[in-house]
């Protein structure tokens, strides 16, 4: 809103609209990046807790009929994995990797309770499977570097076009902001650019993980 107000004061309604669109896009990118980092951190913390629980069980901490209660006590209330174990996995906000690890952890607890299978071995296999899946997702994200480069190129194209206009001796900003044809072209260009950026983001998103 601040960028839109500044654009309206300095360049008129077209500048306000363009700056509002770019400001919204930038804010969205920052928020999504922070959310992705927080989700990745929570997922790694859950896997570390799962590995620690398996190590504790292997070291001889309580087992038997109280296994399920012990699992729920070790995993903290704030952890995504612990919350899903308690609530039967209804949470929809977890990433696919955390949801899958949570389902497997609950299945391991039930299997150990019903059959006496060694829970430590089961939890270690769940953790190893989840970490292997994470490595696969990281490799897929690395392969999507071309799509990310396309997104950066799309983001830089307007600046290059304006610079080219000044290089040939015209004032493209005045044309874009203060003429009907230029204003329509600017709005259409911003809409197409945002659509291209969102499409490139979708192409570059790793499966099972938010872009």
């Amino acid at each position: 809103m601040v960028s839109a107000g500044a654009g309206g004061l300095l360049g008129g309604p077209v500048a306000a609209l363009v700056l509002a669109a770019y400001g919204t896009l930038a804010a969205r990118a920052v928020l999504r990046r922070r959310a992705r980092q927080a989700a990745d951190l929570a997922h790694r913390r859950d896997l570390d807790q799962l590995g620690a629980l398996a190590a504790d069980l292997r070291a001889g901490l309580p087992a038997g009929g109280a296994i399920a209660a012990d699992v729920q006590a070790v995993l903290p209330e704030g952890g995504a994995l612990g919350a899903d174990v308690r609530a039967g996995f209804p949470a929809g906000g977890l990433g696919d990797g955390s949801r899958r690890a949570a389902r497997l952890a609950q299945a391991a607890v039930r299997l150990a309770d019903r059959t006496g299978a060694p829970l430590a071995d089961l939890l270690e296999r769940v953790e190893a499977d989840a970490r292997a899946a994470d490595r696969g997702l990281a490799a897929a994200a690395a392969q999507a570097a071309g799509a990310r480069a396309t997104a950066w190129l799309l983001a830089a194209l307007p600046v290059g076009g304006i610079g080219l206009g000044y290089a040939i001796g015209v004032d493209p900003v005045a044309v874009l902001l203060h003429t009907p044809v230029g204003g329509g072209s600017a709005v259409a260009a911003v809409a197409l650019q945002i659509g291209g950026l969102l499409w490139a983001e979708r192409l570059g998103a790793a499966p099972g993980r938010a872009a």
Side-chain angles (χ1 to χ4, degrees):
M1 296 303 293
V2 174
S3 60
L9 291 176
L10 298 176
V14 175
L17 181 61
V18 170
L19 290 179
Y22 284 136
T24 301
L25 195 64
R28 175 183 178 274
V30 171
L31 292 176
R32 286 174 63 87
R33 180 179 178 85
R34 290 180 179 175
R36 183 171 61 249
Q37 290 174 341
D40 288 345
L41 180 61
H43 179 61
R44 290 194 298 269
R45 183 191 61 216
D46 289 338
L47 293 184
D48 290 341
Q49 291 168 354
L50 194 62
L53 174 60
D56 287 345
L57 291 173
R58 194 174 291 282
L61 291 184
I67 285 178
D70 291 335
V71 170
Q72 294 179 11
V74 172
L75 294 176
E77 284 288 341
L81 184 56
D84 263 10
V85 168
R86 290 182 182 84
F89 310 97
L94 297 176
D96 287 349
S98 288
R99 282 198 296 267
R100 184 171 186 272
R103 288 194 297 269
L104 291 176
Q106 188 193 45
V109 171
R110 290 177 175 174
L111 180 63
D113 259 340
R114 294 175 182 176
T115 68
L119 181 58
D121 290 343
L122 296 175
L123 294 181
E124 285 178 348
R125 292 185 181 185
V126 170
E127 181 194 6
D129 175 78
R131 295 192 186 279
D134 287 346
R135 289 193 293 271
L137 289 174
Q143 295 296 325
R148 289 194 297 271
T150 300
W152 282 107
L153 179 61
L154 282 171
L157 279 178
V159 177
I162 291 173
L164 179 62
Y166 281 114
I168 62 177
V170 299
D171 186 355
V173 173
V175 174
L176 291 172
L177 299 184
H178 302 295
T179 65
V181 174
S185 299
V187 172
V190 170
L192 291 173
Q193 185 187 25
I194 291 176
L197 288 171
L198 294 177
W199 182 247
E201 178 184 274
R202 182 179 180 85
L203 291 177
R209 181 172 296 178

